[in-house]
Amino acid sequence: MKKDVLGVQIDDLPLSEAVDAGFQLLDKPGFHYVVTPNPEFILEARKNEPFRQVLNHADLSLPDGIGVVYAAKILGKTLQGRTPGVDFAQGLMTRMAGAGKRLYLLGAKPGVAEKAAGELKSRYPGLVICGTHDGYFQEDAPVVDDIRASRADVVFVCLGAPKQEFWMAHNGPNTGAALAVGLGGCLDVFAGNVKRAPEAWQKAGLEWLYRLIREPSRLGRMAKLPIVLLDAAKARVTWR
C-alpha cells in the first residue's frame, strides 16, 4: 500500500516484501522502474513537479532515508521501516543470481562500474553482469543501444537524483530491460570505494550520522532531514 509523504507516494513494504515485489516485476510485460526517495528527493519534488510525477509513476517507491520514515510518522502515516536502496539491490541480486538473470551497471566515475562488476560476480555466483558504463556520457542513445545489445534484465542506474529518475522514465522502455533501479552512489559501495555504517548504526537509523562523521562535506545534504521533518510538522498542523 502506498502512503503519501508530502506529495510523494511511498510503498509501505518491509525489505523482504520489497525484494519479492521487485523480482516479480521481471516477469510482467513492459518496462518498470524503482525509486528510492530520501529527504532530498522529497524537498526537490515539492518544487519540481515533473520530478514528483516521475517518482509517483514508479512501480516501487522505497523509503531509503530515515527522514522519510520520521516524516511519515509525524504525518500519522507510519511506515514499517526504512528500505535502503543498497539493501534492496543486494536482495534483488541474490534472487537474480539464483535465476541466472542479467544485470547492467550504469553510472559513477570511469572504472567504478567495472570494479563493482568484479566484486559482485564474486559475491553473487550465477549473477550475469552483462555490461557496464560510467555516468559521464553526453548522449543517451549510445548507452541505450549498449544496454539493449547486452540483453539486460535489470539496469542499476546510478546517476544521482533527479537525473537517474528522469533517465529511467524517459529511456528505460527503449533499453529492452524489464526493470531499472535508481541507486545513486551504490556502485561506489559495491566497488568497495565507500564503506557503509556498521550494522548497529544502520539498525539505529543513524547511517546518515556515520556518513556525516566520515564525510563532513555532506553537511549541506544532511541539513535536508530536519527541513523535511519541519515541513511534515507544519503539514500536520495545517490538516488539523
Side-chain angles (χ1 to χ4, degrees):
M1 181 178 70
K2 291 185 182 290
K3 295 183 177 179
D4 186 301
V5 179
L6 296 174
V8 176
Q9 299 296 316
I10 304 293
D11 284 286
D12 186 18
L13 296 172
L15 178 61
S16 61
E17 292 182 21
V19 171
D20 287 342
F23 190 72
Q24 289 168 12
L25 290 173
L26 299 184
D27 293 324
K28 293 186 178 181
F31 170 75
H32 313 275
Y33 67 96
V34 179
V35 297
T36 55
N38 60 28
E40 289 181 88
F41 284 56
I42 301 290
L43 292 180
E44 179 65 23
R46 300 198 79 187
K47 63 183 181 181
N48 185 339
E49 178 62 18
F51 182 48
R52 188 179 72 83
Q53 292 292 336
V54 166
L55 291 178
N56 287 343
H57 280 91
D59 296 85
L60 279 176
S61 180
L62 307 176
D64 181 86
I66 192 65
V68 177
V69 176
Y70 289 160
K73 186 174 183 179
I74 291 170
L75 292 166
K77 302 175 182 181
T78 304
L79 298 173
Q80 296 184 58
R82 178 177 172 236
T83 308
V86 63
D87 291 340
F88 171 79
Q90 289 171 340
L92 186 62
M93 286 188 287
T94 297
R95 298 288 297 274
M96 291 175 64
K101 296 295 185 180
R102 302 169 67 84
L103 174 65
Y104 191 103
L105 305 177
L106 173 61
K109 294 179 180 179
V112 174
E114 290 85 348
K115 184 179 179 183
E119 295 291 332
L120 294 176
K121 286 178 183 177
S122 298
R123 197 176 309 166
Y124 302 95
L127 178 66
V128 180
I129 308 292
C130 59
T132 65
H133 198 293
D134 64 65
Y136 290 73
F137 56 90
Q138 300 300 318
E139 300 292 333
D140 291 335
V143 179
V144 171
D145 290 343
D146 192 54
I147 296 172
R148 187 187 305 112
S150 76
R151 296 183 292 111
D153 297 296
V154 178
V155 185
F156 286 172
V157 183
C158 304
L159 303 175
K163 181 178 180 179
Q164 64 193 16
E165 286 73 31
F166 284 122
W167 199 94
M168 291 189 296
H170 296 161
N171 296 293
N174 296 322
T175 64
L179 180 68
V181 187
L183 290 170
C186 282
L187 288 185
D188 279 300
V189 176
F190 296 147
N193 297 339
V194 173
K195 302 297 183 183
R196 292 191 70 188
E199 189 174 349
W201 289 65
Q202 294 179 40
K203 289 183 176 179
L206 294 174
E207 191 165 8
W208 63 273
L209 179 58
Y210 179 85
R211 291 200 64 182
L212 179 59
I213 293 171
R214 292 179 63 90
E215 302 175 56
S217 61
R218 295 176 63 89
L219 180 59
R221 295 182 61 183
M222 296 303 180
K224 304 292 178 64
L225 191 154
I227 295 174
V228 165
L229 301 186
L230 181 59
D231 284 352
K234 289 179 179 177
R236 184 65 181 267
V237 170
T238 300
W239 292 340
R240 283 180 175 176

